[in-house]
């Protein structure tokens, strides 16, 4: 009697391929691979493409990392683009603000842009909002109560407006009173065209010091 067990098992085994299986298409790494030297325009054009899609200033380091090139090369390309746009009197400009770079419409064309977007009306901050924002900018981190002491009025509604517009943010709490402290944001720097708070005009000497604010607040409660 012939034993057919081994033959049956042999028939069920799928033969192994002779070599590694080739993928059907390019891998994800291959799809993401990029060399700035392989595209028309090279590094400057690659930087332009990135700047067209960012919604906040991007640093030289971030650009260099994304494009896998040295930071000095990125800095040189950015400066070249900035000078080139100015020389060509383009409708947009490349500006360095809030520690990074971003495209902006040129200031010369502000009336045209405003008319197109806002139909001739510009959304401006009220005087109360501007005063409150100034106090926060020069005395940050500062609590709502101290801001109210300087202005002499309730600032709850104005604080909410500034928070909604992204000009200020909560930056912590006061150790003694546990009150929320506020400071300005990168959007604030960007809107004013500043690199840092050190670039603010010298207005701080005209504002009361923190200990004076406390005295004003205490007298107001009496």
């Amino acid at each position: 009697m012939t034993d057919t067990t081994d033959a049956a098992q042999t028939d069920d085994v799928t033969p192994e391929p002779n070599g590694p299986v080739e993928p059907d298409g390019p891998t994800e790494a291959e799809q993401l691979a990029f060399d700035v030297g392989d595209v028309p325009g090279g590094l400057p054009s690659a930087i332009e493409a990135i700047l067209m899609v960012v919604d906040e200033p991007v640093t030289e380091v971030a650009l260099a990392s994304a494009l896998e090139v040295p930071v000095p090369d990125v800095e040189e390309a950015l400066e070249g683009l900035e000078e080139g746009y100015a020389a060509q009197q383009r409708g947009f400009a490349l500006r360095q603000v809030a520690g990074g770079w971003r495209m902006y419409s040129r200031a010369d064309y502000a009336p045209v842009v405003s008319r197109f977007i806002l139909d001739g009306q510009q959304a401006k901050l009220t005087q109360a909002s501007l005063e409150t924002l100034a106090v926060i900018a020069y005395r940050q981190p500062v609590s709502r109560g101290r801001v109210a002491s300087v202005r002499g009025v309730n600032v709850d509604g104005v604080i909410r407006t500034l928070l909604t517009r992204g000009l200020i943010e909560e930056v912590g709490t006061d150790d003694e009173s546990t009150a929320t402290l506020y400071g300005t944001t990168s959007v604030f720097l960007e809107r004013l065209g500043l690199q840092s708070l050190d670039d603010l005009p010298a207005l701080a000497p005209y504002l009361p010091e923190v200990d004076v604010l406390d005295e004003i607040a205490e007298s107001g409660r009496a």
Side-chain angles (χ1 to χ4, degrees):
M1 181 174 174
T2 304
D3 186 357
T4 59
T5 303
D6 292 338
Q9 289 178 344
T10 303
D11 292 339
D12 291 338
V13 174
T14 302
E16 298 244 346
N18 294 329
V21 177
E22 294 294 334
D24 295 334
T27 64
E28 182 178 357
E30 291 172 338
Q31 291 176 343
L32 295 177
F34 177 79
D35 187 341
V36 294
D38 293 338
V39 295
L43 180 58
S45 294
I47 291 175
E48 280 183 322
I50 294 176
L51 292 175
M52 289 296 180
V53 298
V54 298
D55 56 5
E56 60 184 18
V58 60
T59 66
E60 296 98 331
V61 174
L63 289 168
S65 176
L67 298 171
E68 298 183 348
V69 296
V71 173
D73 290 356
V74 171
E75 294 174 343
E76 182 179 355
L78 287 167
E79 292 171 0
L81 289 170
E82 182 182 27
E83 295 172 0
Y85 297 153
Q88 297 167 24
Q89 296 183 336
R90 305 297 294 268
F92 56 88
L94 179 59
R95 293 171 54 194
Q96 186 177 22
V97 296
W101 294 79
R102 186 181 176 187
M103 296 285 196
Y104 292 87
S105 59
R106 193 171 295 281
D108 297 338
Y109 302 103
V112 177
V113 175
S114 296
R115 185 162 60 246
F116 176 75
I117 296 178
L118 303 173
D119 192 24
Q121 298 180 2
Q122 295 190 19
K124 296 181 179 180
L125 290 175
T126 64
Q127 185 66 29
S129 296
L130 289 173
E131 292 175 0
T132 301
L133 183 58
V135 174
I136 294 174
Y138 284 98
R139 280 289 175 259
Q140 61 183 305
V142 63
S143 68
R144 191 184 308 236
R146 284 174 173 167
V147 175
S149 298
V150 174
R151 297 202 55 238
V153 296
N154 185 289
V155 296
D156 290 354
V158 178
I159 292 289
R160 284 194 296 270
T161 297
L162 296 176
L163 285 169
T164 300
R165 295 201 177 192
L167 296 171
I168 65 172
E169 62 184 350
E170 297 181 3
V171 295
T173 56
D174 184 83
D175 293 336
E176 296 181 1
S177 65
T178 69
T180 300
L181 300 177
Y182 297 93
T184 54
T185 65
S186 60
V187 174
F188 169 80
L189 295 176
E190 183 181 342
R191 293 293 177 84
L192 268 67
L194 304 175
Q195 279 284 75
S196 69
L197 293 174
D198 295 334
D199 296 330
L200 284 170
L203 178 63
Y206 300 98
L207 293 175
E209 296 295 337
V210 172
D211 55 349
V212 176
L213 295 180
D214 290 336
E215 293 179 5
I216 296 175
E218 289 297 330
S219 63
R221 299 190 190 102

